[in-house]
Amino acid sequence: MSYEEFYKKLGKRIKFLREEKHLTQEKLAEITGISLDYLGKIEVNINRPGLITLLKLAKALDISMEEFFKTL
């Protein structure tokens, strides 16, 4: 899997998990301290999140890092 494909799938996974928890982008951005613009761009594969950002997202979504990458 290429990096491009990985981050595309990751963005879709984040969006799926966010919607599954009934969270808006605004609410998830607020919870994590990530800007709304940055979060939106992660979900559409413009920005590529680092480890700290992924940890914040996993915590806010109440999932483990393992669960984050489960279906990628």
Side-chain angles (χ1 to χ4, degrees):
M1 173 184 321
S2 70
Y3 289 119
E4 186 69 28
E5 187 178 345
F6 170 79
Y7 280 106
K8 186 176 182 178
K9 287 182 177 185
L10 180 62
K12 287 181 179 183
R13 178 82 172 135
I14 291 167
K15 182 178 180 178
F16 171 81
L17 292 166
R18 175 180 60 75
E19 290 175 343
E20 187 175 61
K21 300 285 184 174
H22 305 288
L23 295 171
T24 63
Q25 283 185 340
E26 291 84 0
K27 187 63 178 173
L28 183 56
E30 179 185 321
I31 293 167
T32 60
I34 297 167
S35 78
L36 175 59
D37 181 61
Y38 188 68
L39 177 59
K41 288 179 179 177
I42 290 171
E43 289 187 0
V44 296
N45 191 30
I46 294 172
N47 287 344
R48 296 179 174 178
L51 181 58
I52 298 299
T53 300
L54 291 175
L55 287 167
K56 288 178 181 180
L57 288 166
K59 182 177 180 182
L61 294 167
D62 195 30
I63 60 169
S64 67
M65 289 298 282
E66 179 183 4
E67 181 69 22
F68 224 145
F69 298 106
K70 190 174 183 177
T71 61
L72 299 180

